[in-house]
Amino acid sequence: MKRIIAVFLLLLFWSGLQPARAELTIEITSGIEGALPIAVVPFAWNGPGAPPEDVAEIVAADLARSGQFAPLPRADMLSRPARPEEIRYRDWRAVGVDNLVIGRIVPRDGGGYTVEFRLFDVFRGRQLTGYSFPTSSERLRETAHRVADIVYETLTGERGAFRTWIAYVTVTGSGDERRYSLQVADSDGYNPRTVLRSRQPLMSPSWSPDARRLAYVTFEQETAEVYVQELATGQRRKVASYQGINGAPAWSPDGRQLALTLSQDGNAEIYILSLESDRLRRLTRHPAIDTEPAWAPDGRSLVFTSDRGGSPQLYRLAVDGGRPERLTFEGGYNASADFAPDGKRLALLHRDGRGNYRVAVQDLERGMLTLVSEGRLDESPSFAPNGRMILYATEAGGRGVLAAASVDGRVGQRLRLQEGEVREPAWSPFLE
């Protein structure tokens, strides 16, 4: 029953929010040499006219964005099977394809569709997996992402993250006409929805662990305040409006607490707020600036940015208190940490020897730092829920855009709006 209610609420979210005017356009800037060759055949359509969505194209685009797959162009396909008995494996071996995806979209009596797909190993000539999903025209893209997730996991052994969401802030106009908007979209930038519009800045969106709520900072009252908003209903609650700084909300893994940066006692410190009791507990006590908390996946510690050592660096502190442990030593600026889902790595911002601010990944066991972006002013790194990609904000053509990089830096892509700027990204948890 709880799962049914959760799904219903998420559907209400998409139906209740206002569609945004512009979608993010994705440009793949780099990929892995030797990516796995795969063919995603256009799905057969058993209805009048054209299908509402090109499901196969969405699946192929998802797999290509991961950098681990090289989908075969449709023009190079020697045949287009829709059923297992129609497959001529020699055709696909001839064009160097390792795996093959086929499928159908079938209209259902009373409305909606059934999407069927099968994944085959071309060289062994056998089926690896296959599913059938009931869906609707409004959810065909979501179903396509689900198909891509299954194909990805079957062939890599890792969970796919295509059927997830991203939150971000858009900025349009200038001067008195400047407008800010908090958006939520599919992981590929499609289906954007507006969560909040404001004439004042919006910052630091942060996903709850169940992906049903967003915490964020707003200046609607001309001072920083932290809100938590239910996506399904639009209802929101002010949780921090103390004197001074109210910023950088970060959810605990159990969804019951927020870590915050507050300066109510005169200095920027890390606090933990219970969302059930509104009890506030101060965690750091130091004359330096402590900010940007990030929870470890086990909920036992936080990583935060502090200049207590003379320059911004990352420190780790148990939520029960104690002495902070410095984690970063390479370079004079390391900040804005986000934990990988396995808790073994951090995404962060690192200033390199040329003064560029770039996204890096630090291995917490070995201490090794790896640069994964190539920008000059990158910011706000956020791990995908499977830990394979990092979403971040950067600049291109003098405008703020979003970008994503693999954790080894070999895969890169850029997401941009046709107008305005986009910044402050946050990748959602898995949706179920």
Side-chain angles (χ1 to χ4, degrees):
M1 179 60 72
K2 289 183 178 180
R3 177 180 291 271
I4 294 173
I5 293 173
V7 171
F8 177 70
L9 287 174
L10 291 176
L11 289 174
L12 280 178
F13 163 52
W14 285 117
S15 62
L17 293 185
Q18 302 176 21
R21 290 183 299 170
E23 294 174 334
L24 292 166
T25 301
I26 294 181
E27 170 194 0
I28 297 177
T29 56
S30 60
I32 298 175
E33 293 185 8
L36 186 66
I38 192 170
V40 184
V41 178
F43 282 21
W45 167 242
N46 292 10
E53 293 281 0
D54 190 336
V55 171
E57 179 62 27
I58 297 168
V59 173
D62 281 346
L63 297 175
R65 284 190 298 112
S66 75
Q68 299 188 60
F69 295 88
L72 183 72
R74 291 182 175 180
D76 296 339
M77 295 180 183
L78 302 180
S79 57
R80 296 191 176 188
R83 301 176 182 272
E85 60 269 21
E86 298 171 353
I87 298 174
R88 296 194 297 269
Y89 289 103
R90 65 180 181 275
D91 290 350
W92 304 103
R93 296 186 188 112
V95 292
V97 166
D98 292 348
N99 294 280
L100 174 69
V101 178
I102 65 171
R104 299 190 304 157
I105 307 172
V106 182
R108 302 172 64 195
D109 294 337
Y113 308 95
T114 297
V115 174
E116 304 172 358
F117 86 97
R118 299 171 188 263
L119 170 65
F120 294 88
D121 182 320
V122 168
F123 289 95
R124 295 182 181 179
R126 65 182 181 89
Q127 181 174 318
L128 298 177
T129 191
Y131 285 85
S132 175
F133 299 111
T135 189
S136 63
S137 58
E138 295 80 11
R139 300 183 66 190
L140 270 173
R141 290 196 67 90
E142 177 191 349
T143 302
H145 294 317
R146 183 189 293 268
V147 172
D149 280 340
I150 294 172
V151 172
Y152 181 94
E153 184 170 3
T154 301
L155 296 178
T156 69
E158 298 178 344
R159 188 173 181 182
F162 306 117
R163 198 175 68 89
T164 55
W165 296 333
I166 57 175
Y168 52 92
V169 174
T170 63
V171 185
T172 57
S174 61
D176 293 339
E177 299 301 316
R178 177 163 291 193
R179 298 292 183 270
Y180 300 84
S181 179
L182 176 58
Q183 307 280 350
V184 170
D186 293 352
S187 67
D188 60 356
Y190 281 80
N191 294 329
R193 293 293 185 271
T194 300
V195 176
L196 181 67
R197 289 190 176 97
S198 175
R199 294 175 178 267
Q200 301 299 327
L202 301 171
M203 301 172 59
S204 307
S206 176
W207 288 94
S208 66
D210 59 8
R212 299 184 199 176
R213 295 169 289 173
L214 278 172
Y216 54 85
V217 177
T218 173
F219 287 78
E220 293 169 274
Q221 303 302 319
E222 299 186 355
T223 185
E225 298 175 323
V226 178
Y227 278 80
V228 169
Q229 183 161 337
E230 297 278 349
L231 295 181
T233 65
Q235 293 182 346
R236 62 177 189 158
R237 168 190 169 198
K238 186 189 299 184
V239 297
S241 184
Y242 301 97
Q243 183 176 358
I245 296 170
N246 297 271
W251 292 85
S252 63
D254 63 7
R256 297 179 178 179
Q257 302 177 96
L258 282 179
L260 302 165
T261 299
L262 305 176
S263 63
Q264 62 170 350
D265 293 328
N267 191 59
E269 305 283 357
I270 307 299
Y271 290 75
I272 293 179
L273 172 68
S274 168
L275 294 174
E276 297 175 348
S277 66
D278 291 330
R279 178 175 175 266
L280 192 65
R281 179 166 62 92
R282 181 170 169 176
L283 194 60
T284 61
R285 296 181 181 275
H286 196 279
I289 295 175
D290 296 334
T291 187
E292 299 178 328
W295 288 84
D298 63 8
R300 298 178 181 177
S301 63
L302 290 165
V303 166
F304 62 96
T305 304
S306 177
D307 63 353
R308 61 184 60 200
S311 66
Q313 299 292 339
L314 297 178
Y315 294 79
R316 189 169 192 163
L317 178 62
V319 295
D320 294 332
R323 185 181 181 85
E325 172 195 7
R326 182 170 169 174
L327 298 179
T328 53
F329 295 89
E330 184 175 336
Y333 184 98
N334 294 285
S336 303
D338 186 49
F339 269 97
D342 62 5
K344 297 180 179 179
R345 293 164 295 171
L346 288 175
L348 56 98
L349 285 185
H350 171 81
R351 187 175 62 209
D352 65 17
R354 298 182 178 180
N356 299 316
Y357 292 86
R358 299 168 61 184
V359 177
V361 174
Q362 176 149 324
D363 186 310
L364 291 176
E365 294 179 352
R366 296 181 294 174
M368 182 182 298
L369 189 76
T370 303
L371 295 174
V372 300
S373 74
E374 298 180 352
R376 295 182 57 251
L377 291 171
D378 301 335
E379 61 181 29
S380 305
S382 175
F383 265 107
N386 65 358
R388 292 295 303 180
M389 301 288 288
I390 299 169
L391 184 68
Y392 61 96
T394 188
E395 286 190 357
R399 291 194 300 156
V401 301
L402 301 187
S406 61
V407 293
D408 57 11
R410 294 192 293 168
V411 179
Q413 54 195 256
R414 190 173 294 134
L415 301 83
R416 67 175 75 211
L417 290 170
Q418 293 180 350
E419 60 176 317
E421 299 189 42
V422 58
R423 57 182 65 162
E424 303 273 347
W427 208 318
S428 81
F430 290 116
L431 301 185
E432 60 179 33

